[in-house]
Amino acid sequence: MTTPNDAQQAEIGLRSFGRPNSVVSQFDFWNDRYEGRRLFSEVLGTFFLVLVAVGGGLVNARFGGDAVPAAARVVAPALMVSAIILFMGTVSGAHLNPAVSMAFALRGDFPWKRVPAYIVAQFVGAALATLLLWALVGKHGTAGLTLPGAGISTTTAMIWELVLTTGLVSIILGTASGAQQIGPLAAIGVGSYIALAGLWGAPVSGASMNPVRSLGPALVLTHWTSWWAYLVGPVAGATIAVGFAHVLRGRGGGRSGVEAAMGTLGAHWHSNPRK
């Protein structure tokens, strides 16, 4: 088990002054014994996200095409993400998205050793949500799936997802930086971006910005059209966002010890560069 050293504990104490429960939560996030709790949170959070994101399309198809308006189908997942950040962000960081987990790892705020398990947990949550929806309301063609819009090529959809994901991950990294730890208000920023991107971007690519939101349902419903666009686009967008964050903040970025400690999307511990 890896635990913070004395200097890290002192820094946590200073950053957490006036917030009685935050020090314990940060130690829990560092403590390997609680990895199961974190992974369960990622499964649960991604389950609810995909339940809303895929469920909107399936329910709409099940009840005639006007039951859930198009605007509601893109705003509802954004509201769910905001709620998930608020209720479980301090447990797992509320990544809910492999692109986000990879971005934090690339920036050095999240241990690479945790990334594979996080991604598996996210896929499990997405698959379980889709299975439940299938059992309750049935399968209705391509309803609920993320696909390019009419007349849109897979390449165009991939580039669209890349651009949208670059913006999303930039928002997430920006609200989890050492100079801008805005705590629960990050839920508003992230949720607002997802809603705004969906309102104008969904007709082109579906505005997924999340590989598990697209590939989890595709796996369950066995529909793999244009699947690679929804893997390559978000991952490339997240990588570009990390590069932008480096340019904006410079080498080191003013960070020390704890990065975004229990603040925006939850606990993102700055990994020890000597490891």
Side-chain angles (χ1 to χ4, degrees):
M1 180 185 71
T2 305
T3 56
N5 58 36
D6 292 341
Q8 290 170 333
Q9 291 184 34
E11 182 173 7
I12 292 174
L14 289 172
R15 286 175 176 262
S16 306
F17 184 75
R19 289 180 282 174
N21 297 323
S22 58
V23 175
V24 175
S25 297
Q26 290 169 47
F27 288 169
D28 286 353
F29 190 80
W30 178 264
N31 194 329
D32 289 343
R33 290 189 304 165
Y34 298 107
E35 187 68 1
R37 179 186 300 174
R38 292 186 288 267
L39 295 177
F40 175 75
S41 294
E42 286 296 304
V43 171
L44 185 63
T46 310
F47 171 87
F48 281 120
L49 168 58
V50 174
L51 192 70
V52 171
V54 176
L58 287 176
V59 169
N60 189 59
R62 171 66 176 78
F63 292 99
D66 295 318
V68 185
R73 293 200 296 272
V74 297
V75 171
L79 295 175
M80 179 58 78
V81 168
S82 296
I84 291 168
I85 290 170
L86 291 173
F87 98 83
M88 58 164 271
T90 56
V91 178
S92 70
H95 294 185
L96 317 178
N97 185 338
V100 173
S101 298
M102 291 179 60
F104 277 113
L106 283 170
R107 199 174 68 164
D109 298 335
F110 189 69
W112 275 107
K113 68 178 183 178
R114 289 185 180 175
V115 172
Y118 261 56
I119 293 175
V120 170
Q122 292 155 3
F123 266 103
V124 169
L128 289 175
T130 309
L131 285 169
L132 178 62
L133 289 166
W134 190 1
L136 294 177
V137 299
K139 180 179 177 180
H140 302 276
T142 60
L145 294 168
T146 311
L147 297 169
I152 300 298
S153 69
T154 300
T155 301
T156 298
M158 184 272 291
I159 296 172
W160 201 259
E161 287 292 310
L162 183 155
V163 173
L164 293 181
T165 308
T166 299
L168 172 62
V169 175
S170 293
I171 295 291
I172 292 171
L173 294 178
T175 54
S177 71
Q180 178 85 343
Q181 294 183 36
I182 63 176
L185 286 177
I188 298 175
V190 175
S192 297
Y193 180 88
I194 293 172
L196 291 170
L199 286 171
W200 67 272
V204 178
S205 68
S208 171
M209 301 172 280
N210 185 339
V212 300
R213 183 262 177 266
S214 300
L215 302 185
L219 175 65
V220 173
L221 301 176
T222 62
H223 193 291
W224 292 95
T225 301
S226 303
W227 67 270
W228 63 269
Y230 300 97
L231 174 63
V232 175
V235 171
T239 304
I240 292 171
V242 174
F244 286 169
H246 178 76
V247 170
L248 290 171
R249 298 168 62 206
R251 181 173 295 275
R255 291 175 296 163
S256 59
V258 180
E259 177 68 29
M262 310 307 294
T264 56
L265 300 188
H268 301 292
W269 189 275
H270 178 60
S271 59
N272 189 336
R274 291 174 295 179
K275 295 182 180 180

